[in-house]
Amino acid sequence: MEYSDHSSSKDKGSKLDHQAADLQCVRKENQALRFLLEAMSSKYSRLEAHLQLIQLQLRQSTHDHPQIISSTTTTTTGSGSSSYHHDKDPTSNKRARTTTIDHHHQYQFLEANKTSQFLVRTDSKDNSLIVKDGYQWRKYGQKVTKDNPSSPRAYYRCSMAPTCPVKKKVQRCMHDKSVLVATYEGHHNHDNSLVFGSAANNDITTMRRSTMEPITLDLTLSASNASQEESTPSASSCENNEKLQEYVASFTKDPNFTLALAAAVARSIKSAPPALNP
DNA sequence: CGCCTTTGACCTGCGC
DNA sequence: GCGCAGGTCAAAGGCG
C-alpha cells in the first residue's frame, strides 16, 4: 500500500510538472498572439489613416474628374465578372456608389457611408446565410434580388446595442455558392474586441480577383509546435522575439495579407480557452 | 418570456 | 405617372 501511495504521489508530481509545462506553452502562445494582435492594431491604425488620406484625395479629384468617384465597381465577388452591386447606371443609383481603393482587395467603401465587404467561405452544403463575425445580428429582412435570384439576400442589424447603426447584408456568390458576400455598413458604437470579423466556423478569406485562389491563414500555434520550441534553449527567447518581429514586419508590409491575418488572429483568439483571452 | 427568423406588404428612389 | 427593384417594417410563429 505504501508503495502504491508513493507511486501515486510520484504520478501526481509528474502530472503537475506536465501541467506546468502545458501552462508555459499556453502562456508563450498567448504572448505571441498578443504581440501579433498589437502589431495588427498598429498596422490597422496606419491603414485607416492612409485610407482617409486616399478618400480625401478622391474627393478632391472628384471636382476635376467627377466620373472617378461615381464609377461603380462590379469587381466584388472574386470571379471578376460577377456583380453583387450591379447598377445599370453608376451615376444615378442611390444604393451602391462604391469606390475601389485597392484592386487586389475585396474591401470597398461607400462614398457617403463607410462600407466594407467580406468574402466568407463556407461549406458548400451549408445553405444558411449566417456569418459568425463576433457580433450579434438580428435579421430583419430577406429579399430575392434580380442579380442573383437563386440565392436571396439577407439583411441584418447589430443587436448587441439597441442604438448600434451597423447593418449587414449577406448573399451567396452567384458563381461560387460556397462563398458568402457580407457587406457591412456603418460603425459599431459599442465595444467589441473582434473588429475585423472573426470567423468561428467560417473561413474568412481574401481572394485574389485574378486567380480566384483563396488565401487561407492558419495561425494556430499548436501545442506540438510549442513543444518543439521547448527543445531550443529558453535563453534564446530574445532571439525568438526578434524572429517574431521580423515575421510580423514582413507580414505587415502587405496590406492584403494584413487584413486576412487579422481575421485569422481573431479566430485564433476566440477559439482559445476563456482564461487566455485578454 | 424574450429573442430570433420568416415572409408578405409597404416604402422609396430611379428610369422610362 | 407608372413600373421596377432594393430596402424596411411588422405580425406571426418557432425555439430555448
Side-chain angles (χ1 to χ4, degrees):
Chain A
M1 289 293 279
E2 270 185 315
Y3 178 76
S4 63
D5 284 342
H6 185 66
S7 65
S8 67
S9 65
K10 262 189 175 179
D11 287 346
K12 282 180 184 177
S14 64
K15 274 185 182 177
L16 281 174
D17 289 345
H18 200 70
Q19 286 178 350
D22 284 347
L23 188 62
Q24 200 155 5
C25 291
V26 170
R27 276 182 183 158
K28 277 184 184 176
E29 190 172 330
N30 192 23
Q31 279 182 354
L33 285 171
R34 280 188 185 183
F35 188 79
L36 279 171
L37 193 59
E38 284 175 14
M40 294 309 312
S41 297
S42 65
K43 181 65 179 177
Y44 174 66
S45 301
R46 276 178 289 173
L47 279 174
E48 200 168 43
H50 185 59
L51 171 67
Q52 286 176 359
L53 184 67
I54 290 172
Q55 285 180 321
L56 187 65
Q57 289 172 348
L58 280 170
R59 285 198 194 96
Q60 287 174 350
S61 65
T62 306
H63 296 294
D64 301 330
H65 307 285
Q67 286 184 343
I68 294 175
I69 197 74
S70 59
S71 66
T72 301
T73 58
T74 56
T75 62
T76 53
T77 53
S79 67
S81 60
S82 63
S83 53
Y84 181 63
H85 280 146
H86 188 86
D87 295 330
K88 295 167 189 168
D89 183 357
T91 60
S92 60
N93 198 308
K94 61 174 177 176
R95 292 177 184 96
R97 298 178 67 191
T98 58
T99 302
T100 300
I101 302 299
D102 182 350
H103 286 274
H104 294 286
H105 220 268
Q106 296 301 326
Y107 293 91
Q108 297 180 349
F109 301 92
L110 279 184
E111 178 190 356
N113 210 358
K114 204 170 186 180
T115 300
S116 57
Q117 231 173 39
F118 288 85
L119 297 181
V120 182
R121 184 170 290 282
T122 64
D123 188 351
S124 58
K125 294 172 187 173
D126 184 10
N127 291 323
S128 67
L129 289 172
I130 297 171
V131 177
K132 294 173 182 176
D133 52 12
Y135 290 95
Q136 287 181 324
W137 301 93
R138 184 175 60 85
K139 190 177 183 180
Y140 66 89
Q142 183 167 311
K143 198 78 176 177
V144 175
T145 59
K146 191 183 173 186
D147 300 336
N148 191 359
S150 61
S151 60
R153 180 182 298 169
Y155 299 89
Y156 296 90
R157 281 200 185 94
C158 180
S159 62
M160 290 185 82
T163 59
C164 184
V166 178
K167 294 175 190 172
K168 177 173 79 169
K169 291 180 283 191
V170 180
Q171 190 174 28
R172 291 206 171 272
C173 178
M174 188 161 49
H175 300 288
D176 188 352
K177 300 293 182 190
S178 65
V179 174
L180 291 176
V181 182
T183 305
Y184 295 81
E185 290 183 22
H187 289 288
H188 293 277
N189 59 6
H190 52 88
D191 286 340
N192 190 313
S193 60
L194 303 173
V195 178
F196 264 107
S198 65
N201 293 329
N202 310 107
D203 268 344
I204 289 186
T205 60
T206 59
M207 301 174 85
R208 280 178 253 175
R209 275 176 49 210
S210 55
T211 61
M212 269 293 284
E213 186 178 345
I215 304 169
T216 306
L217 294 174
D218 185 0
L219 279 183
T220 308
L221 298 175
S222 65
S224 60
N225 288 343
S227 61
Q228 283 175 2
E229 282 179 9
E230 275 185 344
S231 62
T232 61
S234 60
S236 65
S237 60
C238 290
E239 291 177 13
N240 289 339
N241 249 349
E242 286 176 6
K243 282 183 182 177
L244 188 59
Q245 287 188 21
E246 285 178 13
Y247 266 116
V248 171
S250 62
F251 290 162
T252 54
K253 278 176 187 171
D254 184 357
N256 297 345
F257 190 85
T258 300
L259 288 162
L261 183 63
V265 167
R267 182 182 56 199
S268 180
I269 290 171
K270 196 173 181 184
S271 63
L276 299 177
N277 281 325

